[in-house]
Amino acid sequence: MNPPTRLFVDPPQPAQPPEVLEPGALVLRGFALDQAADLLRAVGQVAAQAPLRHLVTPGGLGMSVAMTNCGALGWVSDRSGYRYDPIDPDSGQPWPAMPARLRQLAGDAAQAAGYPGFVPDACLVNRYAPGTRLSLHQDRDEGNYAHPIVSVSLGIAAMFLWGGAQRADKARRMALMHGDVVVWGGPARLRFHGVLPLPDGSHPLTGAHRINLTFRKAG
Ligand code: MD3
Ligand code: FE
């Protein structure tokens, strides 16, 4: 009999050819799998300099996702709104530099999805604990929607919600597992999307968490 935690660990998924979700959006299952431990070490170094924190929305509520950033720009939210900022408001210092292996992975994934020459200047680190969710939203704070967004999922699998151009459009559900990379660009760039509450579980590399990295060209 396996120990109970084993039941929540995703089976290893070898890298697979890109799967088209809709024009402009591709999922690369297992693309980051062989680098996952290195990526998580790099994220740990970022979080040692710029600790994960629960940002406040303009409405005054604390977000259930814990966030930090690396790169020249970081996404922040406070009572005044959402923005990309070169300075970590908690420390008054620039965000930690984007580790080369993170930038490289994002560029490689974008290339594999048909977006060559993607050089992100922002990497948002989202950490989900059991029960953490991200409600439906669009990513509209970047300067130029011509650039894709690259998303890397690590740790406990989550159910991703992927909607349409309008908030009310019916959303599809898709499991995003450890090592999966999704690239969203072109006509899919402004899709509404979100994440259902994270289930309980444990992953050997992240414990009771899911870590999602989103790479953008924000400036
Ligand atoms: C579809 N993060 O940080 S990543 C976010 O899993 C965000 O943490 C989620 O949404 C997460 O803004 C989802 C997948 C994703 C990222 C950007 C998108 C999907 C997207 C941009 C456009 C359309
Ligand atoms: Fe988003």
Side-chain angles (χ1 to χ4, degrees):
M1 184 74 173
N2 290 323
T5 54
R6 188 78 194 98
L7 297 170
F8 300 103
V9 175
D10 305 310
Q13 298 225 120
Q16 290 159 35
E19 181 188 318
V20 179
L21 299 176
E22 67 169 288
L26 294 93
V27 57
L28 286 66
R29 297 277 182 200
F31 192 86
L33 198 56
D34 63 352
Q35 297 176 59
D38 286 341
L39 297 175
L40 286 165
R41 259 191 296 279
V43 168
Q45 285 165 7
V46 167
Q49 289 175 254
L52 287 150
R53 80 287 305 260
H54 295 274
L55 296 171
V56 172
T57 64
L61 299 174
M63 295 184 70
S64 68
V65 182
M67 296 178 165
T68 188
N69 293 276
C70 60
L73 291 169
W75 187 84
V76 292
S77 175
D78 60 21
R79 289 305 302 242
S80 71
Y82 311 119
R83 66 184 179 278
Y84 283 92
D85 199 310
I87 300 297
D88 175 352
D90 280 11
S91 68
Q93 297 297 122
W95 297 103
M98 193 183 303
R101 61 160 61 74
L102 267 60
R103 193 181 50 242
Q104 179 81 39
L105 173 74
D108 290 351
Q111 171 133 23
Y115 296 98
F118 179 59
V119 182
D121 58 13
C123 171
L124 171 63
V125 178
N126 290 333
R127 187 186 67 190
Y128 297 74
T132 300
R133 63 193 291 271
L134 189 64
S135 49
L136 271 186
H137 66 279
Q138 292 171 297
D139 290 13
R140 305 185 58 141
D141 302 321
E142 299 75 23
N144 182 350
Y145 303 146
H147 298 290
I149 294 178
V150 173
S151 149
V152 179
S153 292
L154 298 167
I156 296 181
M159 196 59 79
F160 179 68
L161 289 175
W162 164 46
Q166 310 293 327
R167 184 179 296 277
D169 291 346
K170 190 168 165 52
R172 291 198 242 173
R173 292 176 178 206
M174 177 174 66
L176 288 180
M177 283 171 279
H178 180 67
D180 289 350
V181 177
V182 192
V183 182
W184 316 81
R189 174 64 182 75
L190 288 174
R191 290 289 173 265
F192 276 90
H193 58 280
V195 179
L196 290 182
L198 194 76
D200 285 319
S202 180
H203 188 281
L205 295 182
T206 63
H209 291 117
R210 168 176 187 256
I211 304 284
N212 181 265
L213 310 177
T214 48
F215 295 90
R216 303 129 194 276
K217 179 96 182 70

